Every structure is written in C-alpha cells, then in structure tokens.
Amino acid sequence: DVQLQASGGGLVQAGGSLRLSCVASGFRFSSFAMSWVRQAPGKEREWVSCINSGNDGSSDYADSVKGRFAISKDNSKSTVYLQMDNLESEDTAVYYCAARDQTWNPRRLCSTTEQDYWGNGTQVTVSS
C-alpha cells in the first residue's frame, strides 16, 4: 500500500530551523513529484513547495516561504526533505507530505494542493 511518513516537526523559536523528512513507499517514487502542504488552525490548506520527478529535480516554492525553505529528495531512499530556516510564527502548521503522478507528463504542475497521495502530518510550532 502507499505510505508517506512525514517526520521532523517540533517546537522552535522564531528564527530557528527544522528539517522535515518524508519516506515514501508503495509507488514509483522517481516518477512522482513530491510536495509539502501545510494547514494552520483556522486556515485553508496551503501548498508550500514541490520538487519535480525529472532528473533535473526542478522545484518551486510559495511566496511566503521563498528564500527560507529548501526542498530536496533522494531517489535511492525514496525520501523528500524540507529544510526550513528563519522560521516565523506564521509557519506554525501541520505539514503534510504529498505526491503527484508525473509518469506520463513530467511537466504536470506540482505546485497545487491537488495531489494523488497524501501522508501523515507532522506538527511544526514556531514560538515568537
């Protein structure tokens, strides 16, 4: 079965850093774009970042995190990461790992909350 297990969340001070990890299984990881999507209490789900399935591994970021977050992946480990630096209180949310199939269209957009597979959430809390 498909599994996306996110981890690495925690409580940090504003300006601090966290690194989230998501281990995937049950599908061809190298053919899927991987995303991080977050949801804060009382707010709508927000797409944060994604990395495409292509060999170049191009990535995209929401304006709210651009310059502070960095997404990466390791195909050999079927794992995607999100390095979060200079965290702000507004970053407080549950962060979800998600996957979008790019098997037949490597250019299929990944910068969306519409995904094929969803994993568990990991809580990130930033204190000010």
Side-chain angles (χ1 to χ4, degrees):
D1 59 328
V2 171
Q3 287 190 298
L4 295 168
Q5 292 282 14
S7 61
L11 173 63
V12 297
Q13 290 277 331
S17 298
L18 283 173
R19 190 189 191 214
L20 307 183
S21 299
C22 175
V23 181
S25 62
F27 63 96
R28 195 174 299 277
F29 183 83
S30 62
S31 297
F32 280 69
M34 302 300 299
S35 282
W36 289 97
V37 180
R38 68 187 181 186
Q39 187 164 30
K43 296 184 178 180
E44 294 183 353
R45 192 164 47 181
E46 177 189 23
W47 171 84
V48 175
S49 181
C50 63
I51 185 165
N52 286 290
S53 62
N55 290 332
D56 58 359
S58 61
S59 57
D60 201 4
Y61 300 89
D63 288 342
S64 58
V65 306
K66 194 170 297 182
R68 300 187 299 116
F69 291 9
I71 192 169
S72 61
K73 66 177 179 180
D74 186 340
N75 283 345
S76 68
K77 297 180 180 180
S78 296
T79 301
V80 63
Y81 307 93
L82 185 67
Q83 178 67 44
M84 304 184 294
D85 296 327
N86 195 24
L87 283 161
E88 305 169 353
S89 59
E90 292 78 13
D91 295 318
T92 295
V94 176
Y95 284 70
Y96 297 92
C97 179
R100 199 170 201 216
D101 196 348
Q102 293 183 324
T103 301
W104 305 112
N105 184 11
R107 295 183 178 182
R108 190 184 187 199
L109 289 175
C110 62
S111 55
T112 176
T113 56
E114 186 171 320
Q115 302 286 328
D116 294 314
Y117 301 134
W118 291 89
N120 69 303
T122 184
Q123 177 71 51
V124 171
T125 303
V126 184
S127 61
S128 58

